[in-house]
Amino acid sequence: MNEKHLTTEISKQLGEPERWKRWGTAFLFLAAFSYLLVKLWVLGSMVTISNDAASIWQMIRSFYTENIAPSYLLYKGFASVYPYVWLYQLALIFGVNEFFFVMAYHALLFAYITVIGVPALVKELTGYETWLWQKVALIIVFYWYWNRWYALSQLMVDLPSCAFFLLSIQCAAGISRSSGYRQYGLAAATGLLCGLCANISGQYSVAALCVMIFAAVKLWNGQPLFFGRKKPAGFLVSAGLLFVAMASVKFLNNQFYATVVQPLLDAGHNIAPAKSWMERGMIYMLDIGRLFYGPQLYDDRGHQIIMSLYGVEEGTRLLQLAEAGRYGWRIPDYFRAFFQHPIDFLVIYLNRLIVMISDDCGNSSLRSLLPGYTMIYLSFLTGIRHIKGLRDFFCLKLWLVLAVFATVIPLFVLTVEPRYTLSLQALLFGVALAGPIVPRIIGSTAKTIRQLQEEKISCLLDKPFPWALLGWVVFCAGCLAYFGAICAASNMGTSLLYHW
């Protein structure tokens, strides 16, 4: 039985007729939206935990007054303020909770990501159509992981960034399947969304460039043939819209800086630009593996690199200055340090990668780590089974995978905060839960159970050796050992011990 027939049979057994798919998706979208909105409504406020959220909210409340309360988060650009100022004003007009429309906005983004965005990404990468019961799993799993990072309940740009990023991929993927004004509209939308991603704190800058390249190739491939050649006129119009739309967002961000941020700077307020935050973090966070999520994880290798470069006394002094915000590395300084200790930096990057994929609830919880490792393993297994040769690997879809991994580049250079890994987790967990491998496992297991009922247990001896199952055990054990070693080097005491 091939994969398509297998998944179709399983989905029918689980009660999902094809004719209900659209209505079912609409219902799940409404359910995810309503659930998160109710949870946020009960919470009452979206600035109770995060100092960043509280800081920017004070500015949002005073934005249309004569005395704007400045926020250090203005380095993230206009997306740190908009559309929140409009949603706040809307709440004042209707006389409801001042966070109500912001809550609805977050609920809308969450519903899009789980019910539409991630399945669309999985379909583009694997060609597999996600079933409704898999979308239910996405809603449950992503809420369970992301809610504890406060990415859903606090006023942060991480959830909008992830949603805009996935929507930009969805628009770019549809370009080659459209023509005329529809193609022009998708090109412009892709450019706008990539511009939004690239101008929110800089985390998605490289990722947006990857999506733009993917969209440009899609545009060229989508042009009709004219006497055996591509028609350049349609491509030039669409490509022009793509890049002009992206550039327009950069222009708006510059205007925001000139009309909002610069007057605050002229008035004597200290608002550090994104470049200053990055330069400070490149040295100050070199020995910090994880921040603001459970016990802080240390990486002594980073600390010793600084001591090796400057000596113990001077290195300690520079770290103290960096902590106070009065010293930082420029990009040439960072590369100079890298090329003096390249292997050590690569080890630091590998440590950060393990920390990124190891969500332990902040307290070494196996009930969080093991499901996470399992889903990551299943996503890798799906990729391996879809890549038969180099042609399958070096294809246009590779730009999308590179785009997702590019979203976590700042975490390698600075430090790991779980809320910055939303897009990476959307890919890894999404391919596992919304892709073809879980239905295949369910179908294979059901078939084996039927054989055991009909035949003797000896029939298991005729089956192929379960290398994939063994690989899962080895992968989980290796990740637990590596993450456990990182925790053991972080002075966590008994908190490093695994528990359920």
Side-chain angles (χ1 to χ4, degrees):
M1 182 180 294
N2 62 36
E3 182 178 288
K4 182 177 180 181
H5 290 162
L6 177 62
T7 54
T8 301
E9 178 182 334
I10 296 167
S11 298
K12 287 180 178 178
Q13 292 175 358
L14 293 176
E16 186 189 337
E18 184 69 25
R19 64 181 179 273
W20 290 356
K21 186 163 291 186
R22 289 188 178 182
W23 286 105
T25 298
F27 172 78
L28 286 180
F29 186 94
L30 182 61
F33 171 83
S34 302
Y35 178 77
L36 183 57
L37 182 58
V38 170
K39 296 290 286 187
L40 295 177
W41 178 261
V42 172
L43 188 63
S45 173
M46 298 185 72
V47 298
T48 53
I49 298 172
S50 169
N51 292 330
D52 289 356
S55 173
I56 198 64
W57 188 248
Q58 291 302 315
M59 180 172 183
I60 289 169
R61 296 183 66 185
S62 63
F63 192 77
Y64 290 117
T65 66
E66 295 182 357
N67 298 315
I68 298 179
S71 170
Y72 59 88
L73 290 177
L74 285 175
Y75 75 89
K76 295 188 177 182
F78 70 93
S80 62
V81 176
Y82 297 105
Y84 303 109
V85 291
W86 301 326
L87 298 175
Y88 171 69
Q89 294 298 321
L90 201 60
L92 295 181
I93 292 172
F94 284 93
V96 295
N97 183 314
E98 61 181 358
F99 293 100
F100 175 77
F101 288 104
V102 179
M103 294 173 179
Y105 177 56
H106 270 225
L108 184 68
L109 295 175
F110 175 72
Y112 165 75
I113 291 171
T114 54
V115 180
I116 298 175
V118 171
L121 175 62
V122 172
K123 184 177 181 181
E124 184 63 25
L125 292 176
T126 67
Y128 175 81
E129 187 76 34
T130 304
W131 294 97
L132 293 179
W133 58 272
Q134 292 176 283
K135 294 179 181 180
V136 173
L138 288 176
I139 296 171
I140 296 172
V141 169
F142 283 138
Y143 177 82
W144 188 59
Y145 277 93
W146 293 355
N147 187 56
R148 72 175 77 129
W149 302 345
Y150 307 116
L152 303 179
S153 61
Q154 296 295 291
L155 191 67
M156 302 175 182
V157 298
D158 306 290
L159 189 67
S161 297
C162 179
F164 296 154
F165 175 64
L166 291 175
L167 187 55
S168 70
I169 292 176
Q170 189 176 0
C171 290
I175 285 176
S176 62
R177 298 190 292 269
S178 59
S179 59
Y181 289 110
R182 177 177 172 81
Q183 187 179 86
Y184 297 155
L186 286 174
T190 302
L192 285 171
L193 291 164
C194 287
L196 280 172
C197 292
N199 286 279
I200 301 179
S201 75
Q203 181 188 351
Y204 283 77
S205 298
V206 179
L209 179 61
C210 292
V211 177
M212 290 287 284
I213 295 173
F214 174 82
V217 177
K218 280 283 189 178
L219 277 174
W220 180 250
N221 292 340
Q223 294 303 310
L225 291 173
F226 183 69
F227 293 115
R229 296 185 178 181
K230 299 285 185 181
K231 292 180 66 176
F235 171 77
L236 291 176
V237 172
S238 298
L241 287 170
L242 178 70
F243 289 98
V244 168
M246 185 178 187
S248 66
V249 181
K250 179 64 174 178
F251 173 78
L252 291 174
N253 201 40
N254 290 339
Q255 286 295 109
F256 175 80
Y257 185 88
T259 58
V260 177
V261 181
Q262 190 59 50
L264 293 174
L265 291 173
D266 295 339
H269 297 291
N270 183 21
I271 303 173
K275 182 180 179 182
S276 298
W277 286 99
M278 180 189 70
E279 290 176 346
R280 169 186 177 269
M282 282 193 296
I283 180 172
Y284 174 62
M285 296 182 176
L286 192 60
D287 61 350
I288 301 175
R290 187 180 70 186
L291 270 177
F292 307 130
Y293 190 66
Q296 182 171 306
L297 300 183
Y298 292 93
D299 194 331
D300 191 54
R301 190 175 298 273
H303 182 81
Q304 296 307 323
I305 287 176
I306 298 172
M307 299 301 110
S308 172
L309 293 172
Y310 300 105
V312 175
E313 184 177 346
E314 179 65 9
T316 302
R317 187 183 74 85
L318 292 178
L319 283 175
Q320 291 173 348
L321 288 174
E323 183 179 7
R326 298 198 301 271
Y327 179 76
W329 272 351
R330 295 172 301 167
I331 292 179
D333 298 324
Y334 184 87
F335 278 108
R336 191 178 301 114
F338 176 88
F339 287 116
Q340 289 190 37
H341 299 277
I343 303 302
D344 294 289
F345 270 90
L346 293 177
V347 172
I348 289 174
Y349 298 155
L350 182 58
N351 291 346
R352 302 275 167 87
L353 179 62
I354 295 299
V355 173
M356 285 181 217
I357 66 173
S358 301
D359 186 347
D360 64 339
C361 285
N363 58 11
S364 301
S365 172
L366 289 174
R367 67 186 177 93
S368 178
L369 285 167
L370 289 179
Y373 291 150
T374 299
M375 287 183 284
I376 293 169
Y377 175 75
L378 291 177
S379 68
F380 288 157
L381 200 59
T382 302
I384 291 172
R385 291 181 174 179
H386 276 79
I387 299 173
K388 304 299 182 183
L390 291 177
R391 185 182 299 274
D392 297 324
F393 181 81
F394 292 104
C395 64
L396 185 57
K397 298 174 184 178
L398 180 61
W399 285 108
L400 298 183
V401 178
L402 292 176
V404 173
F405 279 91
T407 64
V408 295
I409 288 177
L411 279 68
F412 289 107
V413 178
L414 302 176
T415 188
V416 177
E417 289 187 51
R419 61 192 176 94
Y420 294 142
T421 65
L422 261 66
S423 294
L424 178 64
Q425 203 170 77
L427 170 69
L428 297 177
F429 288 12
V431 170
L433 295 175
I437 195 163
V438 171
R440 176 183 288 179
I441 292 173
I442 295 175
S444 177
T445 304
K447 183 179 179 181
T448 300
I449 292 174
R450 286 196 299 268
Q451 286 181 334
L452 288 174
Q453 292 174 342
E454 297 171 359
E455 306 173 23
K456 296 180 180 179
I457 195 172
S458 59
C459 69
L460 294 176
L461 298 176
D462 298 325
K463 289 186 172 294
F465 188 84
W467 290 109
L469 181 61
L470 179 62
W472 168 70
V473 174
V474 173
F475 178 80
C476 290
C479 288
L480 285 174
Y482 201 132
F483 183 67
I486 293 174
C487 294
S490 299
N491 300 320
M492 292 173 55
T494 57
S495 298
L496 66 89
L497 300 178
Y498 289 125
H499 62 89
W500 286 102

